[in-house]
């Protein structure tokens, strides 16, 4: 009787393990997806998700935004400030590693929580910028400058979402990113140069003009000299995620 009692857990564990192996072999464990809503921001993207168990998978994503206008620049710059960046163009890439923990039916289906890491890289073209210098003679002079630079960020966050299988064969997948946010640190270096030799008073006004742009979610410092200005990004790096992805499961 004692031997039977000792052997019972072993047989139960073996049965569960065998069932798990059987389930794994019958499930399609790979999904390739693209976030269709991101194309509104010129973000070309692709992700690959691999299920390892019923409740755990790993999603790896890559996105790139070709050079073009800053999406929704008017959302964080005043109209008069936006006009100063008429020919500003930016390009960006991002890489995301996202473990997923499913609380629904699993194997890539149902609600999930996903802590994630994201690397971001952003750069600009050589763009025109100007500011109005109020001279000591009472006149206002428009001072043109050429700008450009790049920034990189590392951040971590959490996303909540739900994934559906849309067909009876369970090949077509819809992944709804309900909400996600990440926070971390970023570093960057942008410069602005002028053909004019800037006096100390001109430098002081230029510094104030750039600082007053007050770009959200980015901390930066401004240094000026006789040739122009240098903007250093060194501080918080934050972002939000939401969208709809379509994919194929195999």
């Amino acid at each position: 009787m004692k031997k039977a009692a000792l052997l019972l857990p072993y047989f139960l564990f073996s049965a569960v393990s065998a069932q798990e192996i059987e389930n794994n072999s019958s499930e399609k464990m790979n999904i390739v997806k693209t976030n269709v809503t991101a194309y509104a921001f010129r973000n070309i993207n692709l992700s690959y998700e691999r299920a390892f168990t019923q409740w755990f998978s790993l999603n790896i994503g890559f996105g790139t935004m070709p050079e073009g206008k800053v999406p929704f620049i008017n959302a964080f710059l005043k109209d008069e400030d936006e006009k100063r960046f008429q020919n500003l163009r930016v390009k960006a890439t991002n890489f995301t590693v996202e473990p997923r923990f499913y609380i629904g039916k699993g194997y890539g289906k149902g609600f999930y929580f996903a802590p994630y890491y994201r690397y971001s890289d952003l750069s600009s073209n050589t763009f025109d910028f100007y500011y109005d210098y109020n001279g000591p003679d009472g006149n206002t002079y428009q001072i043109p400058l050429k700008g450009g630079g790049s920034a990189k960020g590392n951040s971590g966050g959490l996303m909540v979402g739900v994934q559906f299988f849309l067909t009876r064969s369970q090949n077509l997948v819809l992944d709804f990113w309900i909400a996600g946010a990440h926070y971390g640190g970023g570093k960057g270096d942008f410069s602005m140069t002028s053909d004019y030799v800037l006096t100390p008073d001109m430098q002081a006004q230029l510094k104030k003009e750039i600082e007053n742009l007050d770009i959200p979610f980015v901390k930066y410092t401004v240094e000026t000299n006789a040739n122009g200005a240098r903007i250093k990004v060194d501080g918080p790096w934050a972002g939000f995620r939401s969208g709809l992805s379509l994919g194929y499961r195999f």
Side-chain angles (χ1 to χ4, degrees):
M1 183 65 69
K2 290 183 179 180
K3 289 183 178 179
L6 291 173
L7 289 173
L8 182 59
Y10 170 77
F11 286 120
L12 289 174
F13 176 77
S14 299
V16 172
S17 298
Q19 184 66 36
E20 184 71 19
I21 292 172
E22 184 180 346
N23 287 341
N24 284 345
S25 63
S26 64
E27 290 290 340
K28 300 170 183 177
M29 310 293 277
N30 307 283
I31 305 174
V32 177
K33 295 173 284 188
T34 185
N35 182 0
V36 293
T37 52
Y39 289 92
F41 304 92
R42 301 196 320 278
N43 190 325
I44 302 168
N45 65 93
L46 189 68
S47 66
Y48 168 71
E49 181 178 355
R50 168 70 181 183
F52 291 97
T53 69
Q54 184 173 354
W55 57 270
F56 175 75
S57 72
L58 182 65
N59 192 79
I60 297 175
F62 175 79
T64 182
M65 185 178 71
E67 187 173 293
K69 290 185 177 181
V70 180
F72 305 111
I73 188 173
N74 56 353
F76 53 88
L77 284 181
K78 300 174 183 177
D79 291 341
E80 58 268 26
D81 290 332
E82 183 185 351
K83 292 177 182 177
R84 305 182 188 194
F85 295 94
Q86 284 297 313
N87 70 336
L88 171 63
R89 301 292 183 269
V90 296
K91 59 182 179 180
T93 58
N94 63 75
F95 177 76
T96 308
V97 179
E98 178 185 294
R100 290 187 170 189
F101 299 91
Y102 284 88
I103 59 174
K105 294 185 177 181
Y107 293 112
K109 183 178 182 180
F111 284 93
Y112 61 83
F113 295 92
Y116 64 91
Y117 160 78
R118 168 166 284 197
Y119 169 78
S120 304
D121 189 337
L122 180 146
S123 60
S124 77
N125 65 334
T126 300
F127 59 91
D128 295 314
F129 179 82
Y130 70 87
Y131 80 102
D132 294 324
Y133 168 62
N134 299 314
D137 58 0
N139 294 321
T140 300
Y141 303 90
Q142 192 173 94
I143 307 298
L145 300 100
K146 293 285 186 181
S150 62
K152 296 177 173 61
N154 293 278
S155 53
L158 177 67
M159 186 170 71
V160 178
V162 60
Q163 191 157 263
F164 305 93
F165 300 155
L166 300 178
T167 58
R168 181 173 296 181
S169 63
Q170 299 187 350
N171 286 337
L172 188 61
V173 175
L174 176 66
D175 187 3
F176 177 28
W177 301 356
I178 298 173
H182 51 272
Y183 182 86
K187 289 183 179 292
D189 201 340
F190 293 83
S191 62
M192 292 185 177
T193 58
S194 175
D195 293 333
Y196 295 89
V197 177
L198 304 182
T199 66
D201 185 49
M202 295 169 76
Q203 294 177 41
Q205 290 193 33
L206 174 59
K207 178 180 172 70
K208 186 176 181 180
E209 287 285 337
I210 298 174
E211 290 176 340
N212 286 344
L213 292 174
D214 194 25
I215 301 174
F217 307 118
V218 178
K219 183 179 180 181
Y220 60 94
T221 58
V222 183
E223 300 174 356
T224 55
N225 54 50
N227 299 316
R230 184 179 181 185
I231 301 98
K232 293 183 178 180
V233 177
D234 189 0
W237 190 281
F240 301 94
R241 297 174 68 194
S242 184
L244 286 172
S245 291
L246 287 176
Y248 180 77
R249 183 172 181 253
F250 59 96

